[in-house]
Amino acid sequence: MRTPLSADPETGTALAVDAVGAARAAMALQTGFDKKTVLNIRPAFLIVPAALELKAEQLVAQNLVPADSTKVVPQSIRTLSPISEPRLDAASPTAWYLAASPNQIDTIEYAYLEGQQGA
């Protein structure tokens, strides 16, 4: 997603199963430039600041299944690969991101302005 998701009280998107599920749905429902074609983008990576690294690892842990069915983490979330980036903490220690695999869709484009050389 382009917008960070965080534990901001206004957005209510603390890193949790429900929030990740909502973010996954938002990614899947994104449309193309024609505003009609549903892109069905599926996240592969859960990107977090160092402050959320343990929480992210616990969220995607595959070795435990709780006895309480309301606490089960769906397989679609457990397959996310957590990536912790300490430089994100400077911007927000609670913001988190989902990203698709570059094998599914172009996620990053590297380009130069016309007439400009890269360094």
PDB file of all heavy atoms in Angstrom, residues 26 84 90-91 97 99 102 104 119:
ATOM      1  N   ALA A  26      -8.087  -4.018   0.833  1.00  0.00           N
ATOM      2  CA  ALA A  26      -7.899  -2.752   0.116  1.00  0.00           C
ATOM      3  C   ALA A  26      -6.934  -2.935  -1.052  1.00  0.00           C
ATOM      4  O   ALA A  26      -7.150  -2.380  -2.139  1.00  0.00           O
ATOM      5  CB  ALA A  26      -7.392  -1.672   1.075  1.00  0.00           C
ATOM      6  N   SER A  84      11.765  -6.035   8.768  1.00  0.00           N
ATOM      7  CA  SER A  84      11.939  -4.958   9.741  1.00  0.00           C
ATOM      8  C   SER A  84      12.985  -3.984   9.211  1.00  0.00           C
ATOM      9  O   SER A  84      14.081  -4.392   8.836  1.00  0.00           O
ATOM     10  CB  SER A  84      12.395  -5.542  11.078  1.00  0.00           C
ATOM     11  OG  SER A  84      12.672  -4.504  11.984  1.00  0.00           O
ATOM     12  N   ALA A  90      12.187   6.377  12.637  1.00  0.00           N
ATOM     13  CA  ALA A  90      12.317   7.833  12.690  1.00  0.00           C
ATOM     14  C   ALA A  90      11.042   8.521  12.216  1.00  0.00           C
ATOM     15  O   ALA A  90      10.655   9.565  12.740  1.00  0.00           O
ATOM     16  CB  ALA A  90      13.506   8.292  11.849  1.00  0.00           C
ATOM     17  N   ALA A  91      10.367   7.928  11.240  1.00  0.00           N
ATOM     18  CA  ALA A  91       9.120   8.502  10.735  1.00  0.00           C
ATOM     19  C   ALA A  91       7.960   8.170  11.665  1.00  0.00           C
ATOM     20  O   ALA A  91       7.145   9.030  11.989  1.00  0.00           O
ATOM     21  CB  ALA A  91       8.830   7.990   9.333  1.00  0.00           C
ATOM     22  N   TYR A  97       3.410  -1.427   6.748  1.00  0.00           N
ATOM     23  CA  TYR A  97       3.107  -1.409   5.323  1.00  0.00           C
ATOM     24  C   TYR A  97       2.954  -2.833   4.800  1.00  0.00           C
ATOM     25  O   TYR A  97       3.563  -3.761   5.329  1.00  0.00           O
ATOM     26  CB  TYR A  97       4.239  -0.737   4.535  1.00  0.00           C
ATOM     27  CG  TYR A  97       4.619   0.622   5.055  1.00  0.00           C
ATOM     28  CD1 TYR A  97       5.478   0.762   6.141  1.00  0.00           C
ATOM     29  CD2 TYR A  97       4.125   1.778   4.470  1.00  0.00           C
ATOM     30  CE1 TYR A  97       5.834   2.014   6.625  1.00  0.00           C
ATOM     31  CE2 TYR A  97       4.473   3.034   4.951  1.00  0.00           C
ATOM     32  CZ  TYR A  97       5.324   3.136   6.021  1.00  0.00           C
ATOM     33  OH  TYR A  97       5.669   4.376   6.501  1.00  0.00           O
ATOM     34  N   ALA A  99       3.357  -4.918   1.049  1.00  0.00           N
ATOM     35  CA  ALA A  99       3.861  -4.774  -0.317  1.00  0.00           C
ATOM     36  C   ALA A  99       3.657  -6.095  -1.046  1.00  0.00           C
ATOM     37  O   ALA A  99       3.773  -7.174  -0.450  1.00  0.00           O
ATOM     38  CB  ALA A  99       5.339  -4.401  -0.306  1.00  0.00           C
ATOM     39  N   PRO A 102       7.287  -8.463  -6.323  1.00  0.00           N
ATOM     40  CA  PRO A 102       7.557  -7.911  -7.655  1.00  0.00           C
ATOM     41  C   PRO A 102       7.287  -8.924  -8.761  1.00  0.00           C
ATOM     42  O   PRO A 102       7.191  -8.554  -9.920  1.00  0.00           O
ATOM     43  CB  PRO A 102       9.028  -7.516  -7.601  1.00  0.00           C
ATOM     44  CG  PRO A 102       9.598  -8.218  -6.421  1.00  0.00           C
ATOM     45  CD  PRO A 102       8.468  -8.522  -5.492  1.00  0.00           C
ATOM     46  N   GLN A 104       4.467 -10.474  -8.952  1.00  0.00           N
ATOM     47  CA  GLN A 104       3.044 -10.330  -9.251  1.00  0.00           C
ATOM     48  C   GLN A 104       2.754  -9.032  -9.996  1.00  0.00           C
ATOM     49  O   GLN A 104       1.979  -9.007 -10.933  1.00  0.00           O
ATOM     50  CB  GLN A 104       2.196 -10.371  -7.981  1.00  0.00           C
ATOM     51  CG  GLN A 104       0.716 -10.253  -8.291  1.00  0.00           C
ATOM     52  CD  GLN A 104      -0.150 -10.046  -7.069  1.00  0.00           C
ATOM     53  OE1 GLN A 104       0.318  -9.711  -5.999  1.00  0.00           O
ATOM     54  NE2 GLN A 104      -1.440 -10.246  -7.247  1.00  0.00           N
ATOM     55  N   ALA A 119      23.196   9.420 -10.396  1.00  0.00           N
ATOM     56  CA  ALA A 119      24.475   9.502  -9.691  1.00  0.00           C
ATOM     57  C   ALA A 119      24.916   8.139  -9.253  1.00  0.00           C
ATOM     58  O   ALA A 119      24.214   7.246  -9.045  1.00  0.00           O
ATOM     59  CB  ALA A 119      24.329  10.385  -8.472  1.00  0.00           C
TER      60      ALA A 119
END
